[in-house]
Amino acid sequence: MRGSSVNLSCQLQLNGVKVDRVNLYWLVPDVNYKVKENLYPRPRLRSTRINNSRLVYPVFINDLSLTIDDVQPSYTDTYICETSLVIGGKSQRSTGKGTYLLVYEEFITFLNHSDLICRAKLQGPQNVDLVWEFQDQEHDNVSSTVITSSDNSFWIISVLPDWTQWCQTQQNTTFTCKLRYMEQNLVERNIAATCAGDLPASYSAPQPTLLYVLILGNTLLILLIIIIITFFCKKEKKRRIRVVVPNAKFPSSSKTKYNG
């Protein structure tokens, strides 16, 4: 990551051979594999972009590793360790295969509603990709988008849509986004998503005590309404039964006689 220190390993294996002299060179080649920049020994008449490099041990120790402090995105390149050995008065060169240094400026994962987003900012290299892993399986079918910036850097962004679909059988799921170069995983970031069934992560289940209080309150309110309605219905029915028609008269032509 930008601002960190990195160690470029170079081990010289002599296998018991007596060496008269060892000359060490750290090189940065160009596309034609010619020397584009000397890191060690540093050129006297020409400035170099990397001034904060140092050898891990003195030259005549088998460990010829180089440490670079405060790495920057522009340091992304291939670094080659080369030695010129003098054995028995004869000169012999030995060159390593090179170490590719990829410096990323930013690499984060975050949750955006129902989507998981992973993005990284780098400079220069191709063949870089973002790969998702969850439930112990890599999912390399999620496509990535590349956005180029004006400073020769670029963003690579990968979106995992609707992550809640992976929460059917478990409460917690850890998603891992891997920054990969040439089929090799360089660094990864994890994000843990808490979910229950199909509920989104922003859902917060009510507390049990509060839920019981709400249910009890609603039940008492419904009972009170039923009691009031029942009371008024009975009162209305009783009032209707006591209806009396006073001084009832019957027509004189009626053939029915009434006593009393």
Side-chain angles (χ1 to χ4, degrees):
M1 184 177 182
R2 178 179 184 175
S4 61
S5 297
V6 64
N7 177 261
L8 306 180
S9 178
C10 180
Q11 306 294 326
L12 179 60
Q13 298 179 359
L14 298 176
N15 298 324
V17 177
K18 184 179 179 180
V19 178
D20 301 327
R21 188 173 70 250
V22 176
N23 293 325
L24 171 66
Y25 305 94
W26 273 98
L27 313 171
V28 179
D30 59 13
V31 293
N32 298 320
Y33 228 74
K34 295 181 179 180
V35 177
K36 180 172 63 175
E37 186 173 3
N38 278 312
L39 295 183
Y40 186 88
R42 294 176 182 171
R44 297 180 179 179
L45 302 178
R46 185 163 53 94
S47 62
T48 176
R49 57 174 174 164
I50 303 176
N51 294 316
N52 47 347
S53 61
R54 66 184 189 277
L55 294 179
V56 177
Y57 295 107
V59 174
F60 290 99
I61 301 294
N62 291 6
D63 193 345
L64 308 179
S65 301
L66 184 73
T67 295
I68 302 177
D69 298 319
D70 190 24
V71 295
Q72 300 298 313
S74 60
Y75 292 5
T76 297
D77 219 323
T78 300
Y79 296 81
I80 294 180
C81 175
E82 184 176 276
T83 59
S84 175
L85 309 176
V86 178
I87 302 175
K90 296 182 180 180
S91 179
Q92 177 182 340
R93 281 188 173 268
S94 178
T95 304
K97 295 182 179 179
T99 301
Y100 184 76
L101 175 63
L102 175 62
V103 183
Y104 60 93
E105 187 170 352
E106 181 178 342
F107 183 36
I108 59 173
T109 55
F110 60 95
L111 179 64
N112 184 15
H113 301 292
S114 63
D115 297 338
L116 282 175
I117 299 177
C118 177
R119 69 183 186 186
K121 187 178 183 182
L122 312 98
Q123 191 173 43
Q126 303 296 324
N127 303 318
V128 178
D129 200 6
L130 297 174
V131 179
W132 288 98
E133 179 182 348
F134 49 92
Q135 296 180 346
D136 299 325
Q137 183 180 358
E138 284 192 353
H139 298 260
D140 53 3
N141 57 342
V142 182
S143 60
S144 301
T145 302
V146 176
I147 302 177
T148 305
S149 301
S150 57
D151 59 351
N152 199 32
S153 64
F154 67 90
W155 287 94
I156 179 170
I157 304 172
S158 180
V159 179
L160 184 64
D162 191 18
W163 62 270
T164 55
Q165 63 180 309
W166 306 103
C167 297
Q168 301 294 331
T169 58
Q170 55 185 0
Q171 297 297 317
N172 298 317
T173 302
T174 299
F175 297 87
T176 303
C177 181
K178 300 179 179 180
L179 180 62
R180 180 173 292 178
Y181 173 76
M182 297 289 289
E183 303 301 324
Q184 182 178 0
N185 296 327
L186 303 180
V187 66
E188 60 185 43
R189 290 287 183 271
N190 295 330
I191 180 170
T194 302
C195 53
D198 294 326
L199 297 178
S202 59
Y203 176 82
S204 177
Q207 297 296 325
T209 304
L210 179 59
L211 183 61
Y212 296 151
V213 171
L214 291 176
I215 293 175
L216 181 60
N218 291 334
T219 303
L220 292 177
L221 180 60
I222 294 174
L223 288 176
L224 179 61
I225 294 175
I226 293 175
I227 292 173
I228 294 174
I229 293 175
T230 303
F231 174 77
F232 278 103
C233 287
K234 287 184 178 180
K235 186 175 180 180
E236 179 67 18
K237 183 177 181 180
K238 187 174 181 180
R239 189 181 68 82
R240 290 180 180 178
I241 291 175
R242 292 182 178 181
V243 173
V244 178
V245 180
N247 302 324
K249 296 181 179 181
F250 299 93
S252 56
S253 59
S254 174
K255 296 181 180 182
T256 307
K257 292 182 180 183
Y258 295 91
N259 296 322

